[in-house]
Amino acid sequence: MNEVITTTAIDRRLYWIDEIVKISSDFGSDAKRVEEELVSEIDADGLDALLDHLRLCSAIPESYGHDTSEEKLYSKYTDALISKTYSFLGLKSSVLTERADAADVEAVTHEYSFVADAKVFRLSRTAKNQKDFKVQAMDGWKRGKPFAMVVCPLYQLPTKTSQIYEQAAARNVCLFSYPHLAVLARLRSEDGCDAVLELLHEIFKTVQAMNPSKDASLYWQLVNRTMLSHSGIVADIWRIEKIATGEAIDISKELALTHYASEREGIMKMSHDEAIERLIDMHKIESRIATIKSVSGNLLMGST
């Protein structure tokens, strides 16, 4: 039995995994629909709903195909989630609609502003490199704003050394996590918006003042100490969110393993012909044949 994450939170997670599949046929309009539904749900159910999403959002569902509309829409869901979190903290925040060469979220207060990006990965993904975290890109996407933030699954971040930490300090890009955002959300309910916005500003300034280093431990020590030294309230919240993080990993693993167990069972039940057809479909052979056949010459060499 989970100590922090409830069955209601798990049910909410399952609902959203299915909901994104149902409304992913038209990516352009559905991205806005997902954002509106998410905001409406959090406005109705409050902090509990926000925490449910922050705790369980960090793994792309294994049931989503690679490079599918569901996978792309899930990325927009996490952008909408961090934007709503910033709004909950007291910032003015919006999801940007630019498609390329821009951050996905913008947040503003009277004292400071920043751009942000939400990162999520599949649990089954083994190879991640520094480019996956877009630290250098985020620096270029500030567009005059002093700060940038990349929100990542905590358990997917490098734990020893990595260039992303050196880049973060050198380029003034704050690497953050969904559990850290959850701590700020709970602190907002305890301490109010002004205190949280001040703490968030201190976190940005902590990263800004860092000496560039690849040391993961050093980076997180400085960020964590900035948060924990804010007030005694943070320590109690911190303990709960650490527990929730472990529970969330177990829940995400169970959902992923259940999916692959079902997939394996379905394959084992196939006839020989069905299995061959499935294999051909997986490799998109017919689609690739059609694409090859459609290639024709053009008249460019005839242009004189």
Side-chain angles (χ1 to χ4, degrees), residues 4-228:
V4 179
I5 297 180
T6 65
T7 54
T8 300
I10 298 171
D11 290 341
R12 193 189 305 276
R13 172 66 174 167
L14 293 171
Y15 167 82
W16 274 92
I17 290 174
D18 291 340
E19 184 70 357
I20 287 172
V21 172
K22 290 177 183 176
I23 63 177
S24 62
S25 58
D26 181 5
F27 178 74
S29 61
D30 287 345
K32 190 64 178 176
R33 181 177 164 187
V34 163
E35 182 182 359
E36 290 172 351
E37 184 175 342
L38 178 66
V39 168
S40 177
E41 179 182 275
I42 294 171
D43 285 344
D45 295 346
L47 178 62
D48 287 344
L50 180 60
L51 292 174
D52 288 348
H53 284 285
L54 288 173
R55 289 166 176 166
L56 292 171
C57 75
S58 58
I60 299 173
E62 298 289 339
S63 56
Y64 294 176
H66 288 272
D67 296 322
T68 58
S69 57
E70 295 97 337
E71 185 180 67
K72 293 173 183 176
L73 195 56
Y74 191 85
S75 177
K76 290 300 178 183
Y77 152 75
T78 53
D79 288 332
L81 175 58
I82 66 168
S83 179
K84 180 56 181 174
T85 304
Y86 297 141
S87 297
F88 182 82
L89 299 181
L91 297 106
K92 291 184 178 179
S93 181
S94 62
V95 179
L96 302 176
T97 57
E98 295 178 62
R99 288 290 183 181
D101 297 324
D104 291 323
V105 176
E106 181 178 34
V108 177
T109 74
H110 291 299
E111 301 297 326
Y112 58 97
S113 60
F114 61 95
V115 293
D117 232 1
K119 301 300 297 179
V120 283
F121 304 101
R122 297 172 183 272
L123 290 182
S124 60
R125 182 174 180 179
T126 55
K128 292 184 290 296
N129 59 52
Q130 59 178 348
K131 292 183 180 180
D132 293 327
F133 296 94
K134 294 185 178 179
V135 175
Q136 289 181 304
M138 287 297 287
D139 181 35
W141 294 342
K142 289 176 185 173
R143 306 283 162 82
K145 290 181 171 53
F147 305 116
M149 175 178 282
V150 182
V151 183
C152 309
L154 190 62
Y155 55 88
Q156 296 277 21
L157 285 160
T159 59
K160 294 181 179 179
T161 60
S162 173
Q163 287 187 341
I164 66 170
Y165 297 114
E166 186 174 45
Q167 292 169 359
R171 297 177 178 271
N172 191 21
V173 175
C174 177
L175 287 167
F176 217 52
S177 78
Y178 296 98
H180 286 80
L181 271 185
V183 170
L184 292 182
R186 294 193 62 187
L187 182 63
R188 182 267 191 195
S189 291
E190 297 281 348
D191 238 4
C193 291
D194 290 344
V196 171
L197 294 180
E198 180 183 342
L199 173 55
L200 183 56
H201 200 187
E202 288 301 316
I203 294 166
F204 279 123
K205 288 189 289 186
T206 295
V207 175
Q208 187 178 42
M210 286 182 186
N211 291 320
S213 169
K214 296 180 182 180
D215 191 331
S217 179
L218 178 61
Y219 177 90
W220 288 109
Q221 280 177 8
L222 291 170
V223 170
N224 293 347
R225 285 174 184 171
T226 299
M227 295 181 69
L228 285 164

